[in-house]
Amino acid sequence: KRIYCSRNCSSAFGGCFTMTEYPYFPLFVNLSGKKILIVGAGSIALRRAETLAPFGAELIVTAPEGRPEMETLAAVWNRRRFQEEDLEGAVLVLAATDDEAVNSLVAELCRERGIPVNSCSDKTQCDFYFPGIARKENLVIGVTASGKDHRLAASAAGQLRKWLSER
């Protein structure tokens, strides 16, 4: 079902979208003191933890092992495999392991509980996309290509970071 068509009307959004193809809406949320569960402690989990830490979230990591830098970012590091109880009190969850079955289980359990989840291994299991961030003091810019082109979003965020550094 066609919802919007740029051929029939003009819009700043550009392009045609169906119900399942809408671009993702950027939503800025106060994460200060909020529990964010990160399942996994490898390179992807570390990058996301490094992005989240300056926003004051309480980062809880569950992974038997991982990057040592995670020690300084996590409020708690449960050095074991994921357990369903880890979801208690989480307002956001990042499934960032190298095991697709674990990431799928985490996503399924989050959906049952109404907890927004991002799975690094399957964008169809994501309730939100993790944006590229450009930040200078209180100015925060989030960039996403709605899961369609990660390189484009990363490039745009990098250019915005450079632009901000020149100001």
Side-chain angles (χ1 to χ4, degrees):
K1 178 179 177 187
R2 186 132 340 254
I3 302 300
Y4 161 78
C5 180
S6 63
R7 292 176 295 224
N8 297 330
C9 57
S10 61
S11 170
F13 298 112
C16 299
F17 301 102
T18 64
M19 286 296 277
T20 59
E21 295 175 334
Y22 280 123
Y24 275 52
F25 178 79
L27 179 67
F28 292 86
V29 179
N30 178 5
L31 297 177
S32 180
K34 306 263 181 13
K35 177 183 174 182
I36 297 180
L37 175 65
I38 302 174
V39 182
S43 296
I44 293 172
L46 178 63
R47 279 197 314 270
R48 292 181 179 177
E50 288 171 335
T51 301
L52 288 167
F55 294 93
E58 179 188 4
L59 303 179
I60 309 299
V61 175
T62 298
E65 57 188 16
R67 299 284 301 269
E69 302 96 314
M70 194 66 89
E71 279 291 344
T72 61
L73 298 169
V76 174
W77 186 346
N78 300 311
R79 291 183 176 269
R80 57 172 169 69
R81 293 186 59 79
F82 169 76
Q83 298 173 3
E84 191 171 341
E85 301 79 46
D86 294 329
L87 298 172
E88 291 294 319
V91 297
L92 285 177
V93 175
L94 304 174
T97 74
D98 59 1
D99 185 333
E100 288 184 32
V102 171
N103 292 343
S104 291
L105 173 65
V106 171
E108 178 183 332
L109 292 172
C110 285
R111 235 172 248 100
E112 288 173 4
R113 289 162 180 73
I115 304 169
V117 63
N118 174 280
S119 173
C120 75
S121 59
D122 183 355
K123 70 181 181 180
T124 66
Q125 294 184 358
C126 294
D127 294 317
F128 64 94
Y129 291 125
F130 208 84
I133 299 287
R135 180 177 175 209
K136 184 172 184 179
E137 299 169 7
N138 286 328
L139 178 61
V140 179
I141 303 168
V143 179
T144 182
S146 298
K148 304 275 188 208
D149 191 340
H150 178 72
R151 286 183 188 196
L152 175 63
S155 175
Q159 290 176 27
L160 287 166
R161 282 191 289 276
K162 182 178 182 233
W163 178 78
L164 286 174
S165 72
E166 296 167 354
R167 307 267 161 303

